[in-house]
């Protein structure tokens, strides 16, 4: 009897002294979005944004190389897939992804998504589509700076995987349009992932980010958590698509695009604050 009573008291004491979670503790290294999409943590800290010194392939809008500090945040481990986008369309009645001008570039059959492309990145979405999805999923589009840090890490490599020249072991690039055979399922290139374990930060599809485009923004960018110009006429695309050749594969490449443009080489991924 006494043994049973002592055991009960001991268990009660143990439960009583279980520590509460510490406020301000480090965020989890992984997270699942509202839509179930896996996300990875990019810790707070600085990184060199823009073209490394001595790199002659950069465009005028990629200079100067400048140090940027970002608070911790999460970013999708993979590009947003057709399968996840289908759930968004079903839940909200949002328009399905369709090429703006050429129906032969569509992979969806109207509002019907073939199961064979469920794991491929969604294409034919404009900036507003991407923004709407991320908001619906409880997230947001990454800033341009967040995207670049997730792609290159805290060093100065030319590509997400380092400085080795791109091959078809690293990414899906230098292709011609072949319908659904053009794109690869997200996460197909283990050799091409970034230092933070983010996949397809080069190749497969271009990706919308939150920022307005300004060719001279790097000359006046804030040193902490830059969010791009307050207004503009074009949005920024990062990464590179299935059609690009080596010079555009670099992690620093910036491209401007009409935010209403929907084409067969543009998709997105989402991000979230780490609290």
């Amino acid at each position: 009897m006494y043994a049973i009573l002592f055991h009960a008291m001991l268990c009660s004491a143990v439960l009583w002294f279980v520590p509460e979670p510490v406020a301000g503790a480090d965020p989890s290294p992984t997270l699942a979005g509202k839509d179930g999409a896996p996300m990875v943590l990019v810790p707070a800290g600085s990184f060199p944004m823009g073209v490394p010194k001595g790199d002659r392939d950069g465009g005028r809008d990629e200079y100067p190389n400048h140090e940027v500090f970002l608070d911790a945040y999460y970013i999708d481990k993979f590009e947003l897939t057709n399968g996840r986008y289908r759930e968004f369309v079903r839940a909200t009645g949002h328009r399905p992804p369709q090429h703006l001008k050429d129906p032969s570039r569509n992979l969806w059959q109207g509002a019907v998504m073939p199961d064979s492309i469920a794991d491929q990145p969604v294409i034919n979405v404009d900036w507003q589509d991407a923004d709407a999805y991320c908001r619906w999923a409880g997230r947001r589009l990454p800033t341009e700076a967040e995207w670049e840090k997730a792609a290159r890490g805290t060093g100065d490599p030319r590509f997400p995987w380092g400085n080795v020249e791109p091959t078809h072991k690293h990414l899906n690039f230098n292709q011609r349009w072949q319908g659904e055979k053009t794109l690869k399922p997200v996460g197909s290139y283990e050799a091409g992932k970034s230092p933070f374990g983010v996949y397809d930060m080069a190749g497969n599809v271009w990706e919308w980010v939150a920022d307005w485009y300004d060719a001279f923004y790097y000359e006046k960018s804030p040193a902490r958590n830059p969010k791009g110009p307050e207004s503009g006429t074009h949005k920024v695309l990062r990464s590179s698509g299935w059609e690009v050749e080596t010079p555009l594969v670099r992690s620093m490449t910036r491209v401007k695009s009409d935010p209403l443009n929907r084409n067969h080489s543009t998709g997105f991924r989402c991000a979230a604050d780490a609290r």
Side-chain angles (χ1 to χ4, degrees):
M1 176 67 179
Y2 290 108
I4 295 174
L5 180 61
F6 175 77
H7 181 72
M9 293 174 63
L10 179 61
C11 289
S12 176
V14 170
L15 290 173
W16 177 260
F17 286 110
V18 171
E20 293 291 327
V22 178
D26 291 340
S28 170
T30 59
L31 183 73
K34 173 184 173 182
D35 57 354
M39 308 185 79
V40 298
L41 176 70
V42 180
S46 298
F47 80 105
M49 187 171 183
V51 176
K53 294 179 181 179
D55 188 331
R56 298 182 179 181
D57 289 333
R60 172 64 186 82
D61 58 355
E62 298 167 17
Y63 293 93
N65 186 275
H66 56 293
E67 199 75 10
V68 171
F69 181 94
L70 296 179
D71 293 335
Y73 61 97
Y74 290 98
I75 193 164
D76 284 355
K77 189 174 184 177
F78 307 110
E79 292 165 332
L80 201 285
T81 64
N82 284 293
R84 295 194 191 283
Y85 202 82
R86 176 172 58 183
E87 297 308 310
F88 165 62
V89 171
R90 287 175 172 173
T92 65
H94 195 89
R95 68 185 180 195
Q98 300 290 322
H99 195 280
L100 193 60
K101 299 178 180 179
D102 186 353
S104 71
R105 308 296 186 176
N106 290 331
L107 295 182
W108 287 43
Q109 299 164 4
V112 178
M113 184 214 80
D115 289 339
S116 56
I117 64 170
D119 293 331
Q120 293 181 5
V122 67
I123 55 173
N124 294 323
V125 291
D126 67 16
W127 187 91
Q128 294 179 342
D129 295 328
D131 180 63
Y133 179 93
C134 290
R135 291 177 182 275
W136 171 79
R139 308 203 293 286
R140 57 175 173 78
L141 285 170
T143 66
E144 187 172 12
E146 287 173 338
W147 190 97
E148 186 166 324
K149 183 178 180 181
R152 68 191 292 181
T154 57
D156 251 344
R158 287 168 56 83
F159 312 108
W161 56 86
N163 290 314
V164 175
E165 288 297 299
T167 72
H168 288 288
K169 293 182 179 180
H170 296 103
L171 74 162
N172 178 25
F173 77 128
N174 201 18
Q175 304 278 1
R176 60 183 178 82
W177 178 251
Q178 305 173 68
E180 72 174 64
K181 294 181 180 180
T182 311
L183 297 160
K184 303 299 182 185
V186 299
S188 293
Y189 297 91
E190 187 70 22
K193 67 183 181 182
S194 82
F196 291 111
V198 185
Y199 288 78
D200 300 315
M201 298 299 271
N204 236 8
V205 295
W206 294 93
E207 299 178 19
W208 291 111
V209 294
D211 304 35
W212 290 105
Y213 175 83
D214 180 350
F216 303 101
Y217 184 68
Y218 285 8
E219 297 179 4
K220 54 196 173 186
S221 169
R224 188 182 184 104
N225 298 321
K227 300 186 184 304
E230 293 184 2
S231 62
T233 58
H234 291 79
K235 288 289 187 178
V236 178
L237 290 173
R238 298 303 299 257
S239 186
S240 54
W242 49 263
E243 78 282 21
V244 304
E245 297 180 356
T246 299
L248 286 178
V249 170
R250 299 168 309 109
S251 299
M252 296 73 68
T253 297
R254 310 175 69 209
V255 173
K256 66 178 181 180
S257 180
D258 183 329
L260 299 180
N261 186 28
R262 285 179 277 150
N263 67 54
H264 54 308
S265 64
T266 302
F268 65 99
R269 74 180 75 219
C270 304
D273 297 339
R275 295 187 177 91

